[in-house]
Amino acid sequence: TGQIEASSQEAAIALLQKHGLYVTFLGEVMPPLYAKRVRIFERVPLKDIVLFSRQLSIMFKSKIPLLESLKVLSIQTKNSDFREKILELSEEIEGGTPFSKALSKYPKIFSPFYIAMIKSGEISGKLSEVLGYLADHLEREYHLMAKIKGALLYPSLIVLVILIVLAVMIFFVIPQLAQVLEASNTDLPFFTKIVITSAAFLKKWGWLITLGFIFLIFFCLRYSQTKKGKRFFDKILLGLPMMGPLLKMIYLARFAENFSTLISGGLPIIQSLETVGDIIGNTSYKEVIFKARDEVRKGVPISSVLSQSPEIFSPVFIQMTLVGEKTGTLDTTLMNIVDFYQKETDRAIDNLLNVLEPVLIVFLGLFVAGIMLSILTPLYKMIAI
């Protein structure tokens, strides 16, 4: 008798039988309520997957068996949820399941691109090289996402300050000053009346407007999860004045890097296009990539299909793809495109921040100054009288 920790009953039986034990009864032991973990907010961040891939690549290159590598990584991993998944992976592999098939059981952690790359490495016998490609690719994706999040942090703080200032003015400052002005029976300026009326309206109905705004966000999020909604919002985002060109560069870099990595890993071009289309993240690009996949089956070059959508594929991208197809070095050419667009993306993010930060600061200053002037000007007139 005793207890053993395993991902399933089958895995527990297999482990016990390896120790020469004959199982007569096996049941699940329910932990006490206080011992259960709340998994609502638990997730595996991209940083952990990047670290996992890089360490697995290094260990595999050092000729350490996959099963042993996974067990070592499970001990080193700090994220308890990810640690469990790695242990379950090791149990699956110990039972004879291929690595790619074991990974496919966790689609929320490992993307179709990740699984396709591992599968190609298993088929070609180049799993060590493929793990290296994956680690490099995920590190570039992580650094790009970290840069975008860092760029959005300061503007978000400014917007938060604006909302806090607005709330303080509406609920505390303006009502008290309005009482003084109304008691004086003076003729108020038109702008002052607008500010006082707006503040009173927001104080009374602000909760309803907030609920409506939350409902609108919820509706947009739900609608964006449908095919029609996603296509609608994807087109709108690509058409925005400053954000659109930046997003196009990000999607082009993502397409080039993913496609190049898959080809370098040994996947056929058609399968690579299908995998990239599934993970590109934008409907407009997905439709063109899937069209290219269908046309490649007929013998049409990829560049000729991309040239039919000049609004989302730049002439430079199309020309470089054409050169890669003609010279037979498409994977290398695409990585050159990735380097070019990553530098352009960094430059575009910096330029956007250089414009956005002062605009938001000036807007915040004018916003507060306008409200204060509209209230304080009648007070100064009262004092002068």
Side-chain angles (χ1 to χ4, degrees):
T1 59
Q3 293 184 5
I4 186 170
E5 187 176 346
S7 59
S8 63
Q9 281 196 345
E10 292 78 10
I13 292 171
L15 287 171
L16 290 169
Q17 287 177 346
K18 283 182 181 179
H19 290 87
L21 298 173
Y22 180 77
V23 182
T24 57
F25 173 78
L26 184 68
E28 185 178 359
V29 178
M30 296 300 293
L33 187 62
Y34 63 85
K36 291 184 178 180
R37 297 201 315 270
V38 179
R39 294 177 178 267
I40 298 173
F41 300 105
E42 280 193 5
R43 64 183 185 88
V44 180
L46 180 60
K47 185 178 180 180
D48 287 352
I49 302 172
V50 171
L51 190 61
F52 167 78
S53 304
R54 175 59 68 191
Q55 290 176 335
L56 189 60
S57 169
I58 294 170
M59 295 174 79
F60 211 81
K61 284 180 181 177
S62 302
K63 307 299 181 183
I64 300 174
L66 180 59
L67 183 60
E68 188 178 341
S69 301
L70 289 172
K71 287 181 178 179
V72 171
L73 290 175
S74 68
I75 298 170
Q76 295 178 354
T77 304
K78 294 180 180 179
N79 188 304
S80 57
D81 192 43
F82 194 31
R83 188 188 306 120
E84 284 186 13
K85 298 297 185 292
I86 298 173
L87 282 171
E88 291 169 11
L89 283 172
S90 64
E91 290 171 6
E92 292 283 344
I93 291 168
E94 195 172 6
T97 306
F99 190 30
S100 58
K101 190 174 181 181
L103 292 173
S104 64
K105 295 183 179 181
Y106 308 101
K108 291 183 180 179
I109 301 176
F110 302 102
S111 65
F113 170 82
Y114 198 105
I115 296 164
M117 283 294 294
I118 295 296
K119 191 173 182 179
S120 71
E122 290 173 335
I123 295 170
S124 61
K126 298 178 180 178
L127 189 56
S128 176
E129 295 178 18
V130 166
L131 284 168
Y133 288 140
L134 265 176
D136 293 338
H137 164 74
L138 290 173
E139 282 175 359
R140 283 190 289 265
E141 283 275 316
Y142 174 72
H143 289 312
L144 177 61
M145 294 303 298
K147 187 173 181 64
I148 293 172
K149 288 177 181 178
L152 294 175
L153 180 62
Y154 186 69
S156 301
L157 288 174
I158 294 177
V159 171
L160 180 63
V161 170
I162 291 173
L163 292 175
I164 292 172
V165 169
L166 180 62
V168 170
M169 297 290 289
I170 289 172
F171 289 100
F172 299 103
V173 179
I174 295 177
Q176 294 181 2
L177 293 175
Q179 289 178 1
V180 175
L181 293 173
E182 288 173 1
S184 65
N185 293 323
T186 56
D187 188 21
L188 300 177
F190 178 70
F191 189 67
T192 304
K193 291 179 181 178
I194 291 176
V195 170
I196 294 174
T197 305
S198 301
F201 176 80
L202 289 173
K203 187 176 181 181
K204 185 177 181 181
W205 301 105
W207 63 273
L208 187 62
I209 295 172
T210 304
L211 283 177
F213 186 68
I214 292 171
F215 175 78
L216 179 63
I217 293 174
F218 177 76
F219 173 78
C220 290
L221 289 174
R222 291 299 298 268
Y223 184 57
S224 66
Q225 292 174 356
T226 63
K227 287 185 179 180
K228 273 187 176 181
K230 183 151 178 41
R231 185 180 290 110
F232 173 74
F233 286 113
D234 284 345
K235 286 185 178 179
I236 285 180
L237 288 172
L238 291 178
L240 292 176
M242 295 183 70
M243 190 64 68
L246 175 61
L247 288 174
K248 287 178 183 177
M249 285 189 285
I250 291 172
Y251 286 127
L252 288 174
R254 183 180 296 173
F255 169 63
E257 184 175 3
N258 291 344
F259 192 39
S260 173
T261 306
L262 288 168
I263 295 173
S264 302
L267 256 71
I269 288 181
I270 294 173
Q271 188 179 347
S272 300
L273 286 169
E274 187 168 356
T275 303
V276 172
D278 286 330
I279 62 174
I280 191 68
N282 185 280
T283 308
S284 300
Y285 283 93
K286 181 178 180 178
E287 290 172 353
V288 176
I289 293 168
F290 279 175
K291 184 181 177 182
R293 174 202 62 187
D294 297 335
E295 293 297 320
V296 166
R297 285 196 180 105
K298 303 174 186 177
V300 180
I302 300 172
S303 56
S304 64
V305 180
L306 301 184
S307 63
Q308 298 172 15
S309 305
E311 67 281 0
I312 57 176
F313 286 95
S314 65
V316 175
F317 190 94
I318 296 167
Q319 188 64 33
M320 291 289 284
T321 306
L322 178 62
V323 170
E325 287 176 324
K326 286 184 176 179
T327 57
T329 57
L330 187 58
D331 54 344
T332 308
T333 307
L334 287 171
M335 285 310 297
N336 292 333
I337 296 175
V338 172
D339 294 336
F340 169 74
Y341 276 110
Q342 281 182 342
K343 290 176 183 176
E344 288 295 312
T345 301
D346 292 342
R347 194 177 295 112
I349 291 173
D350 292 337
N351 291 337
L352 182 63
L353 279 179
N354 291 334
V355 173
L356 194 60
E357 288 176 9
V359 167
L360 286 173
I361 292 171
V362 170
F363 174 77
L364 175 61
L366 292 175
F367 173 76
V368 176
I371 292 177
M372 295 305 297
L373 283 174
S374 66
I375 298 298
L376 295 177
T377 301
L379 290 175
Y380 284 135
K381 287 182 178 179
M382 288 171 54
I383 296 169
I385 291 171

